[in-house]
Amino acid sequence: MVSTCGMCSEWQKALQFLNLTVQGKMAANKVTLNAAISACEKAGAWAKALQLLSGMTRSKGKSDRILLSAAISACEKGNRWEKAVQLLDLMAQRRLESDCITLNAVISACEKGGEWQKALFVFSMMVQCKLELDTITFSAAISSCEKAGKWEEAFHLFCAVGHSSVEASTITVDATISACEKGG
């Protein structure tokens, strides 16, 4: 039920169903909580997503990779790069593996927050760990450089696309061109 409400952008209803689980009227589990956090992400309710994650941690122990990834995505959608980076650090402290989707969300959050150096740090971490890079990875990293006026870094990343198995998207090309135009 929680997941269905989340898919329909009915995040308040998803939270009502989750509240029933907390009150013991239904079986609560991480799947239900993940669906509620994902519903909050879709609605841009990042603070509520973090509140749910925090409540789960207090009541039932450590959150897992899936819950933290969903919360990172909510922070990215809510333009809260600091929180996204904090949650990524928490994942590392707990020795939880992060995947391409999670790290893309962190890069995108940093890009939206004007934190191009942090975005490139996460990008380089993905390269060092030999994680899969995709069009979103490159697009978000290049866009972060473009917004900061770092055309050389953007161009370097664009060249890296050509040396990878990733196909450049229109967004990737446009961001690279825009960065070069801004750079002179």
Side-chain angles (χ1 to χ4, degrees), residues 110-125:
C110 292
E111 176 250 324
K112 290 175 181 177
E115 296 292 326
W116 69 274
Q117 291 171 316
K118 287 181 177 42
L120 292 188
F121 176 78
V122 175
F123 179 90
S124 67
M125 190 173 76

Side-chain angles (χ1 to χ4, degrees), residues 86-165:
Q86 288 172 357
L87 291 172
L88 182 62
D89 287 342
L90 182 60
M91 286 182 77
Q93 290 169 13
R94 294 186 179 170
R95 297 189 185 339
L96 299 171
E97 288 185 26
S98 46
D99 60 11
C100 181
I101 294 168
T102 302
L103 294 172
N104 284 349
V106 174
I107 292 171
S108 183
C110 292
E111 176 250 324
K112 290 175 181 177
E115 296 292 326
W116 69 274
Q117 291 171 316
K118 287 181 177 42
L120 292 188
F121 176 78
V122 175
F123 179 90
S124 67
M125 190 173 76
M126 291 177 75
V127 171
Q128 288 174 354
C129 294
K130 296 182 171 62
L131 293 176
E132 176 187 346
L133 306 177
D134 62 14
T135 302
I136 296 169
T137 311
F138 281 102
S139 294
I142 289 170
S143 291
S144 72
C145 294
E146 181 263 332
K147 288 182 179 175
K150 301 296 179 182
W151 71 271
E152 291 169 324
E153 288 84 350
F155 187 73
H156 177 74
L157 288 167
F158 183 74
C159 290
V161 173
H163 297 292
S164 72
S165 61

